[in-house]
């Protein structure tokens, strides 16, 4: 089964932009970057020429003889089975972190050969750039972030009829029970598998939990190997400790990141570099607290108060060794971690929707917390996330009384409706919420 990825549409808009720059594609390992680039090339160009600097180290020589893009292309043509023709060939530089000269050449392709379409990507690109002190050609490339398969993409592949119903829904009215129940079922399946393409496809093809968990564990094992390959030796134990503390951090009622959960006596100054490493690798998302929900939110963020989520809810489930049956069993009670899984999944939807614009959260005291605050056009929208049908709590009401937002959103498993300024939105529909706010 093939899952259609929305990033292909982003690539298509880029292809037709007369002012386009070479794309530098970022994202965590195993999310399908290479597949997306090659699929785009096959669908939208007469030819697709991929150069992999890890598997084809000899290709590096083409960038060591000159900085002239035209001469580089002549050299590259000797390693390509297809012609390199402007406007007709998509040129893919994969594992570009293995060749600094190729990385730097993107600047010259933008300045001197803008008629060529070039997309570059690499494993652990953010980490490798910092480790090797490579300079990103700012202003000369377009950085595009790619994420795991979103629930929207998962639903389109699993239940096209339900997906089409949601796509056509333009008012916040109650969903038919049959539609809501289908959404809940598919969403639980998505929370079990997550959005790593191999795992999502295994779920969609009903291969069974043993096969699915082997895939997820294989990705986790690969991440562990990346610690040793890309991190400084002294940072490896700290990166490992933070990564494995995620289930404990998110399993607390207050999910604020606490260093002592990582290790007794741990201090921020000792672990900040390890935390940044995981962010650069795309393995975690850091959500900062804001003192006031005012525009712009960035001006009020508190960098010392933050929550950390995994890049994928399926990986988080496997990292926590949470059996799939606990998620699919509607009667199961796993309290705080159920809330953590709900938040992680909704966050993935919001990041997919905004192409990587990270939200914030608001927690003025121990009695109130809004899980996510998002700048949406010219307003700030508070978003409360509840696990399934449990919607108790007064935080969203406290926020409303104090700040009077134009729109509030509560994600849960309750039906879709708009009441006053509160949009009650089923969590599976987080990527569509913007259609129904006033």
């Amino acid at each position: 089964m093939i899952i259609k990825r929305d990033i292909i549409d982003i690539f298509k808009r880029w292809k037709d932009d007369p002012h386009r720059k070479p794309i530098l594609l970022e994202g965590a390992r195993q999310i399908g970057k290479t597949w997306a680039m090659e699929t785009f090339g096959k669908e939208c160009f007469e030819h697709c020429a991929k150069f992999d600097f890890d598997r084809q180290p000899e290709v590096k020589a083409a960038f060591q003889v000159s900085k002239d893009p035209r001469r580089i292309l002549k050299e590259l043509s000797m390693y390509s089975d297809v012609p390199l023709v402007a406007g007709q060939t998509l040129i893919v530089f994969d594992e570009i972190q293995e060749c600094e000269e190729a990385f730097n050449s993107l600047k010259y392709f933008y300045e001197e050969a803008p008629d060529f379409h070039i997309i570059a990507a690499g494993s652990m690109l953010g980490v490798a750039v910092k480790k090797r002190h490579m300079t990103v050609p700012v202003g000369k490339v377009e950085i595009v972030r790619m994420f795991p398969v979103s629930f929207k993409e998962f639903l389109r592949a699993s239940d096209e009829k339900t997906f089409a119903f949601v796509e056509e829904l333009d008012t916040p009215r109650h969903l038919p029970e049959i539609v809501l129940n289908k959404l809940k079922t598919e969403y639980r399946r998505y929370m079990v598998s997550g959005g790593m393409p191999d795992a999502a496809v295994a779920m969609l093809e009903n291969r069974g939990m043993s096969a699915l968990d082997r895939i997820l564990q294989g990705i986790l094992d690969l991440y562990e190997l990346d610690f040793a390959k890309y991190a400084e030796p002294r940072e490896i134990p700290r990166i490992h400790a933070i990564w494995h503390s995620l289930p404990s951090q998110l399993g607390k009622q207050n999910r604020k990141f606490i260093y002592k959960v990582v290790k007794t006596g741990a201090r921020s100054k000792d672990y900040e570099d390890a935390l940044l490493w995981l962010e650069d690798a795309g393995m975690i998302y850091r959500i900062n607290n804001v003192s006031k929900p005012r525009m712009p939110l960035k001006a009020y963020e508190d960098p010392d108060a933050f929550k950390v989520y995994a890049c994928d809810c399926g990986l988080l489930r496997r990292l926590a060794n949470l059996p799939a049956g606990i998620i699919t069993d509607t009667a199961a009670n796993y309290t705080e971690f159920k809330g953590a899984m709900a938040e992680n999944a909704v966050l993935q939807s919001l990041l997919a929707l905004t192409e990587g614009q990270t939200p914030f959260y608001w927690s003025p005291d121990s009695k109130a917390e809004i899980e996510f605050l998002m700048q949406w056009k010219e307003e700030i929208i508070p978003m409360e996330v509840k696990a399934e049908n449990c919607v108790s709590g007064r935080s969203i009401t406290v926020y409303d009384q104090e700040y009077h937002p134009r729109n509030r959103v509560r994600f849960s498993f309750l039906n879709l409706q708009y009441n006053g300024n509160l949009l009650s939105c089923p969590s599976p529909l987080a990527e569509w919420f913007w259609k129904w706010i006033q």
Side-chain angles (χ1 to χ4, degrees):
M1 175 178 285
I2 297 175
I3 301 176
K4 179 185 175 183
R5 302 300 307 273
D6 289 341
I7 197 166
I8 302 296
D9 294 329
I10 295 175
F11 291 161
K12 288 178 180 178
R13 292 194 294 271
W14 165 80
K15 176 181 183 290
D16 297 330
D17 184 353
H19 306 293
R20 68 178 174 273
K21 305 171 184 178
I23 283 180
L24 194 57
L25 186 61
E26 294 185 339
R29 289 262 256 162
Q30 298 293 303
I31 61 171
K33 295 188 293 295
T34 299
W35 177 90
M37 293 186 294
E38 291 182 334
T39 299
F40 171 57
K42 292 173 184 176
E43 290 182 357
C44 301
F45 291 83
E46 293 182 34
H47 312 286
C48 179
K50 188 182 81 166
F51 303 96
D52 188 320
F53 295 101
D54 185 41
R55 295 186 178 184
Q56 303 168 280
E58 66 274 12
V59 174
K60 298 177 185 178
F63 297 86
Q64 294 166 348
V65 296
S66 174
K67 294 183 179 179
D68 179 1
R70 306 289 174 177
R71 183 172 176 182
I72 290 172
L73 290 170
K74 286 182 180 179
E75 296 280 338
L76 287 177
S77 66
M78 293 188 291
Y79 301 98
S80 175
D81 294 329
V82 299
L84 307 183
V85 182
Q88 299 178 24
T89 305
L90 176 66
I91 299 174
V92 172
F93 293 153
D94 208 1
E95 303 296 352
I96 195 171
Q97 78 281 354
E98 299 297 332
C99 181
E100 186 171 356
E101 292 86 357
F103 191 82
N104 292 334
S105 76
L106 298 177
K107 169 185 176 181
Y108 302 107
F109 274 100
Y110 168 66
E111 293 176 340
E112 301 173 27
D115 47 338
F116 284 88
H117 294 78
I118 296 175
I119 303 181
S123 300
M124 309 292 289
L125 189 57
V127 169
V129 166
K130 282 190 176 181
K131 182 178 180 180
R132 299 173 187 178
H133 305 290
M134 297 162 68
T135 302
V136 178
V138 178
K140 311 297 182 180
V141 296
E142 180 178 348
I143 296 177
V144 175
R145 291 183 67 187
M146 185 174 176
F147 299 92
V149 172
S150 69
F151 177 69
K152 181 178 180 181
E153 295 168 330
F154 184 92
L155 180 65
R156 181 167 52 208
S158 65
D159 189 338
E160 194 170 354
K161 188 175 180 180
T162 301
F163 173 82
F165 180 92
V166 175
E167 283 282 277
E168 294 171 4
L169 191 65
D170 56 4
T171 57
R173 55 186 172 85
H174 262 53
L175 305 174
E177 282 300 314
I178 188 172
V179 172
L180 184 60
N181 289 334
K182 284 182 177 181
L183 287 170
K184 291 177 182 179
T185 297
E186 295 303 329
Y187 198 61
R188 289 190 180 101
R189 295 208 312 149
Y190 175 76
M191 292 178 74
V192 168
S193 70
M196 291 297 170
D198 287 348
V201 168
M203 175 61 82
L204 291 169
E205 293 180 347
N206 301 313
R207 293 187 211 160
M209 284 312 306
S210 294
L212 174 60
D213 280 347
R214 280 197 300 271
I215 292 171
L216 291 172
Q217 189 59 51
I219 296 173
L220 290 176
D221 292 343
L222 178 64
Y223 282 5
E224 297 273 352
L225 293 174
D226 285 338
F227 298 164
K229 181 177 180 180
Y230 291 100
E232 297 295 334
R234 64 184 179 84
E235 291 295 338
I236 295 173
R238 296 169 183 170
I239 294 170
H240 182 277
I242 290 177
W243 177 242
H244 284 273
S245 79
L246 284 188
S248 299
Q249 299 282 359
L250 294 173
K252 305 190 295 353
Q253 185 172 5
N254 179 355
R255 285 183 257 284
K256 176 184 174 183
F257 187 88
I258 299 175
Y259 286 97
K260 69 178 182 181
V261 172
V262 178
K263 183 180 179 181
T264 303
R267 298 175 296 178
S268 61
K269 69 176 184 178
D270 296 326
Y271 282 84
E272 179 61 24
D273 287 346
L275 200 61
L276 284 171
W277 190 96
L278 287 166
E279 278 190 278
D280 290 337
M283 293 170 62
I284 63 170
Y285 306 126
R286 188 189 318 212
I287 308 298
N288 286 337
N289 190 19
V290 291
S291 57
K292 293 180 181 179
R294 301 297 190 194
M295 191 78 75
L297 287 172
K298 189 75 175 174
Y300 299 95
E301 71 176 331
D302 179 359
D304 294 325
F306 56 90
K307 298 186 289 187
V308 172
Y309 295 92
C311 63
D312 178 68
C313 57
L315 290 180
L316 176 62
R317 179 190 66 80
R318 184 61 187 167
L319 190 65
N321 199 25
L322 181 68
I326 299 295
I327 293 177
T328 57
D329 182 0
T330 58
N333 180 18
Y334 59 113
T335 57
E336 283 83 6
F337 206 75
K338 179 184 284 190
M341 288 291 294
E343 290 175 27
N344 212 112
V346 167
L347 175 61
Q348 286 178 238
S349 291
L350 296 178
L351 290 171
L353 175 65
T354 62
E355 298 179 10
Q357 178 186 323
T358 306
F360 298 83
Y361 79 101
W362 177 75
S363 183
D365 52 47
S366 60
K367 297 179 181 179
E369 178 177 308
I370 299 298
E371 281 76 21
F372 301 118
L373 288 179
M374 176 178 287
Q375 286 186 201
W376 187 260
K377 297 182 179 178
E378 296 179 354
E379 63 177 306
I380 294 172
I381 301 178
M383 299 178 175
E384 186 176 54
V385 182
K386 294 297 184 181
E388 302 205 347
N389 295 327
C390 179
V391 294
S392 60
R394 298 188 64 254
S395 295
I396 197 76
T397 302
V398 170
Y399 184 98
D400 187 42
Q401 292 172 347
E402 187 165 352
Y403 295 105
H404 311 292
R406 180 180 177 186
N407 289 285
R408 298 176 292 156
V409 180
R410 174 186 286 142
F411 295 112
S412 70
F413 267 18
L414 297 182
N415 211 320
L416 179 67
Q417 67 173 340
Y418 198 95
N419 185 13
N421 66 343
L422 177 63
L423 173 68
S424 179
C425 181
S427 297
L429 302 186
E431 286 173 78
W432 287 273
F433 89 89
W434 59 273
K435 297 203 308 180
W436 306 309
I437 58 175
Q438 300 298 311

